[in-house]
Amino acid sequence: MSALGAHLRDLIVQDGPLTLERFMALALGHPTMGYYITRDPFGPGGDFTTAPEISQMFGELVGLFLADIWIRAGREEPVHYVELGPGRGTLARDALAAAKRYGLDPKVHFVETSTTLKDIQLGLVPQAMWHDDLSTIPPYGPVLIVANEFLDALPVRQLVQTADGWRERMVDFQQGCFVPVSGQMPMDAAVPPARASAGEGTIIETCPGAAATVYEVAGRLAEQGGAALFIDYGHDTPRDGSTLQAVRAHRKVDPFS
């Protein structure tokens, strides 16, 4: 078992099952052992790849979009390019190069916590400034915010309908494995009335981190002006069920492995 797995196991043994949201937050973002903290997960030698790594055109189109928005808004300066979870920096490099051809040469800000990825980003976008979150982005000048497959990597919270009512989905450690279980605390009050009578086994999922991020971005746009482009994948209406999945070496695996 990895050091991270042992740490999660010990927490569960000591304090009982973790909420799925807490389990994911630690597995992905533990400050010394988290998945995104300790590795470069992109490309053929990693676990998955994203559109900017496949085609330069992807980033160039983003850059042209931002340049068009900026020009039509009056070319205000100073202007800030802000990317959430910039990966290797490939998207930013391609977008900024395309935007510069039309006069847009913004200050560059990366919201990134992985030291491993920061080192790679530095090689591609050396002028970038790094931030742990949006709170330290300058509070003046319009912001052009980009987030590609960022929201769908944030920890989720799940509620499951059981024979005893709605419960939070937790993660326990049983017989040498991490397994999902139902919590003990009633959660019926947290379920929208229209979905309260769903059948046993129904899962309702939310992403508090995504909601908080979008709320903060919206506040920035209202105060400073600019635009935000979020690129992600999902359903256009609420649906029941779990979206939780994991990949290793470009193949789907059990998220709890």
Side-chain angles (χ1 to χ4, degrees), residues 12-243:
I12 292 172
V13 170
Q14 177 180 321
D15 299 325
L18 299 170
T19 66
L20 177 61
E21 182 183 17
R22 179 65 174 157
F23 181 87
M24 286 186 67
L26 289 169
L28 297 174
H30 186 281
T32 59
M33 296 181 286
Y35 177 82
Y36 284 111
I37 305 299
T38 57
R39 74 200 72 198
D40 172 10
F42 301 99
D47 290 321
F48 60 89
T49 194
T50 57
E53 302 293 334
I54 296 172
S55 172
Q56 183 176 329
M57 185 184 299
F58 186 91
E60 290 177 339
L61 288 171
V62 171
L64 294 176
F65 165 78
L66 297 177
D68 179 59
I69 289 285
W70 176 71
I71 290 168
R72 289 193 285 123
R75 301 175 184 261
E76 185 176 343
E77 297 276 5
V79 59
H80 305 279
Y81 174 95
V82 181
E83 188 169 344
L84 310 180
R88 288 176 167 171
T90 307
L91 169 56
R93 178 198 63 190
D94 296 339
L96 293 166
K100 192 171 184 178
R101 296 201 296 266
Y102 295 90
L104 174 57
D105 189 16
K107 304 291 185 183
V108 181
H109 305 271
F110 287 163
V111 177
E112 178 63 75
T113 57
S114 168
T115 302
T116 301
L117 291 176
K118 283 179 183 177
D119 289 341
I120 300 172
Q121 294 158 10
L122 180 62
L124 291 184
V125 192
Q127 72 272 35
M129 293 170 276
W130 282 266
H131 306 262
D132 290 335
D133 53 52
L134 282 166
S135 66
T136 55
I137 301 295
Y140 53 83
V143 288
L144 301 172
I145 299 174
V146 176
N148 178 53
E149 294 193 65
F150 173 77
L151 298 179
D152 71 358
L154 297 176
V156 296
R157 185 183 187 192
Q158 293 181 345
L159 302 180
V160 59
Q161 177 76 291
T162 73
D164 299 316
W166 288 95
R167 299 291 186 269
E168 182 141 14
R169 208 164 184 226
M170 316 286 283
V171 180
D172 201 1
F173 189 78
Q174 300 175 1
Q175 299 180 338
C177 298
F178 295 105
V179 293
V181 297
S182 301
Q184 299 298 315
M185 295 291 293
M187 297 296 294
D188 299 78
V191 177
R195 305 169 84 180
S197 59
E200 187 174 341
T202 299
I203 292 174
I204 294 177
E205 183 179 276
T206 62
C207 186
T213 298
V214 173
Y215 180 83
E216 188 169 1
V217 166
R220 286 275 184 168
L221 296 179
E223 289 293 325
Q224 296 174 233
L229 177 63
F230 286 84
I231 302 164
D232 240 308
Y233 307 88
H235 304 297
D236 59 358
T237 57
R239 296 191 185 189
D240 297 334
S242 172
T243 69

